[in-house]
Every structure is written in structure tokens, then in C-alpha cells.
Amino acid sequence: MERGNQTGVGNFLLQGFSEELNMQSFFFGLFLSIFLVTFTGNLLIFLAICSDSHLHTPMYFFLSNLSFADICFTSTTIPKMLLNIQTLNKTITYEGCLSQIFFFIVFGCLDNLLLTVMAYDRFVAICHPLHYSVIMNPRFCGLLALGSWCISVMGSLLETLTLLGLSFCKNMEIPHFFCDHPEVLKLSCSDTLINNIVVYFVTIVLGLFPLSGILFSYSQIFSSILRISSTRGKYKAFSTCGSHLSVVSLFYGTGLGVYLSSAVTSSSRTSVVTSVMYTIVTPMLNPFIYSLRNRDMMGALAAFLRKVVPLSIKTIIGLS
């Protein structure tokens, strides 16, 4: 295969899900519906928290950041996939591919770090309730959120910038529906040792360390809950972190599924299916997990919709 430097690289070809034309309409409708549900659900949670002063607490502040990150995370991959399906054109430019990799890593890492910060918030709330308002003050919460954003951007830059020095062969087909970083590395004709070292380094720092923090926080939380004498007290304490624990399990469970599927089997179809769970389904389920069993969140959503719907009707009537 011929080689070319990064300035001469052409377009990548995203193979997607199926070559059958009669399946394209099905996939377009399916993923458009999922995207609209994900976008709308997370946007409603973000706006409801911003509009309700009763939810201006550390837990909901981090949840609003998580909802915004999930909107951006899905918007990084799904719109381009829908465009490719609709136009029957599976190409993506070299610049577009690098941009997609950058933002995908940014918001993926941000999700991870925010879940870690939220676990710490629950740890302080349950294990140190008397000092909660002092420790989780607005300035500290803002620094935690800002730090999560900055670390995510730096980690993504580190991985993306190392791609610029690679040469690519003529075979530019990516067996995925988006520019997956490991798959792009496989297409390179250059030595990818440095890239792999960077990937492992970022994975350890932004993957394993946050997971260790979450596991430590919940070990302390469970220990504190078990020391509560009353059953009602135990249930009340556990209910404050049940939604977060569900989201963490879903996030890391699907992420582990992607890793194991790529390690155990070389089938690109299996890898694509597991990636759909991680990149699309998980962000879609998060709003339901956080709202359905949360009375405060449901009340804020209802109040927000009562304000918005009549205003929208008045606007439409005025325009007509």
C-alpha cells in the first residue's frame, strides 16, 4: 500500500451498519428517534435545573453539566451518521474525522469525570452531612466542574495531536459509524507506538483513576449506610445515590462491553453494536434514570413545561 503524509490524506470511509439499501430507512428512522429523545430529554433536564432555584444545589449543578455533556457527546457522532445514511455517502474528511475524534474524547472523558465528582458529592452528603454545605460550597463546585472540563480537553488534545504526525495508506475504510480513535490508528502506515503509549496513559489517568475514586466513594457510602440503625434511614440514604449508581453502572458496563468485544472478537459488526450501547443508548437513558424516581426533578420539569408550553402557544398565535 502506498503512503502519504497528513497533508495529502483524503477522505475516510465510514462503513456504518449495513450495505443493504432497504435497511437505510430503518436505521435513519431509528437513530433519528433516539437522537431526538436524547437531545430533548437532556435539554429539558438542563433547562429545568437552571430555571428552578430549589435545584441550585451541588448535585443538580453537576447533573446539569452531565446533561449538557451528553447532548454534546451524541451530537458529535449521530448527526454525521444520519447525514451519511440520508445522502448514501459514507465519506468523512480527514479534518472532520480528527474533529470528531477530538470532541468524542472530550465529552466521553467529561462524562467520566463528572460521574466521579458526583460520586464524591454523594460521599460528602452521606458520610459527612454536617460539613456538606461547607465542603461543597459554590466556589469549590465550580472549580470541580471547570477542572473536569479542562482535564478532558487536555486529555483529548494529547490523543488527537499525536494523530497529526501519522501517514495513512490507501485503505481508508473505518468499520464503524464514526471515527473511532483505535480504528483510525489501525489504518496508519506509520509506527503508532507513541500513539498507543499516549492512549494507555490517558486511559489510566482519565479512566482508571476516576473509576477508583468512584469505587472508594461508594465503599465509604455503603459502610456508612450499614451503620444506620433504622431501615427507613438506610433506604432514605441509599435513595439519594441510587440514580447516580445506576448511571455509573450503565456507563462503565457498556464501556467495558466495548473493550471486551474488541478484545475477544475481531468482528466489526459486534464492535459496532456494543459501541451503539455506549455512545447512543446510555446518554438517552440518563434523563429517564434521573427524573422518573426523583420527585424534585419531576416537579421542576412539570413547572418548566407549564411555563414554556403556554408561551410557545402564544408565540405561534402571534406569528399567525
Side-chain angles (χ1 to χ4, degrees), residues 27-90:
F27 284 124
F28 182 83
L30 174 64
F31 290 112
L32 177 60
S33 301
I34 291 175
F35 178 68
L36 291 176
V37 170
T38 304
F39 188 92
T40 305
N42 283 288
L43 183 62
L44 283 175
I45 285 185
F46 178 81
L47 294 176
I49 292 174
C50 292
S51 64
D52 192 333
S53 60
H54 295 96
L55 299 184
H56 291 176
T57 62
M59 181 178 71
Y60 291 109
F61 169 69
F62 296 128
L63 177 57
S64 65
N65 276 266
L66 182 67
S67 295
F68 181 76
D70 280 340
I71 290 173
C72 297
F73 188 57
T74 52
S75 298
T76 300
T77 56
I78 301 183
K80 176 58 179 174
M81 177 183 64
L82 293 175
L83 178 64
N84 287 357
I85 293 175
Q86 184 67 17
T87 60
L88 299 179
N89 181 3
K90 297 186 176 183

Side-chain angles (χ1 to χ4, degrees), residues 84-104:
N84 287 357
I85 293 175
Q86 184 67 17
T87 60
L88 299 179
N89 181 3
K90 297 186 176 183
T91 61
I92 183 172
T93 63
Y94 172 75
E95 293 79 10
C97 190
L98 287 184
S99 299
Q100 196 174 67
I101 290 173
F102 171 77
F103 287 111
F104 182 82

Side-chain angles (χ1 to χ4, degrees), residues 16 44 95 117 119 124 150 152 163 174 181 201 211 218-219 221-222 243 249 251 257 273 283 287 315:
L44 283 175
E95 293 79 10
V117 170
V124 176
C150 292
S152 299
L163 289 172
I174 301 175
H181 188 216
F201 172 75
L211 177 59
Y218 272 104
S219 67
I221 288 171
F222 290 145
S243 296
S249 302
F251 181 83
V273 172
T315 304

Side-chain angles (χ1 to χ4, degrees), residues 14-32:
L14 300 173
Q15 292 183 353
F17 296 94
S18 174
E19 297 289 339
E20 299 179 16
L21 290 177
N22 60 338
M23 292 296 293
Q24 300 306 308
S25 297
F26 169 75
F27 284 124
F28 182 83
L30 174 64
F31 290 112
L32 177 60

